Amino acid sequence: MSEDMEQMDLFDFAADLPQPTGRVLNGMYYERSTDMFVSFVLGRRHYEEPAKGCQHLKEWQDRIKRERSI
């Protein structure tokens, strides 16, 4: 091996990623501003469903609106 070659660490990028400072959302939430149920996975939006016409049980919708609104 020549002197000017350098071995790269392929997993070194993980140390440079910014760490979230606040709460990371996971699960289903109700977003008041858009009137939608939104699913989050590791803080990123994954799935959206409008509150009007939602197929979930009314009790579930009321609980999510009450306990997990953002």
Side-chain angles (χ1 to χ4, degrees), residues 21-37:
T21 56
R23 187 175 101 188
V24 176
L25 298 178
N26 271 322
M28 193 66 103
Y29 291 84
Y30 173 70
E31 190 173 55
R32 285 182 240 126
S33 62
T34 61
D35 192 34
M36 297 184 91
F37 291 103

Side-chain angles (χ1 to χ4, degrees), residues 1-48:
M1 192 183 306
S2 69
E3 295 283 327
D4 59 342
M5 292 185 84
E6 178 182 344
Q7 183 173 354
M8 295 175 56
D9 184 1
L10 298 177
F11 300 102
D12 190 38
F13 71 91
D16 298 335
L17 293 176
Q19 298 299 319
T21 56
R23 187 175 101 188
V24 176
L25 298 178
N26 271 322
M28 193 66 103
Y29 291 84
Y30 173 70
E31 190 173 55
R32 285 182 240 126
S33 62
T34 61
D35 192 34
M36 297 184 91
F37 291 103
V38 182
S39 169
F40 284 89
V41 177
L42 297 176
R44 299 185 71 187
R45 275 179 119 80
H46 181 67
Y47 176 77
E48 297 176 344

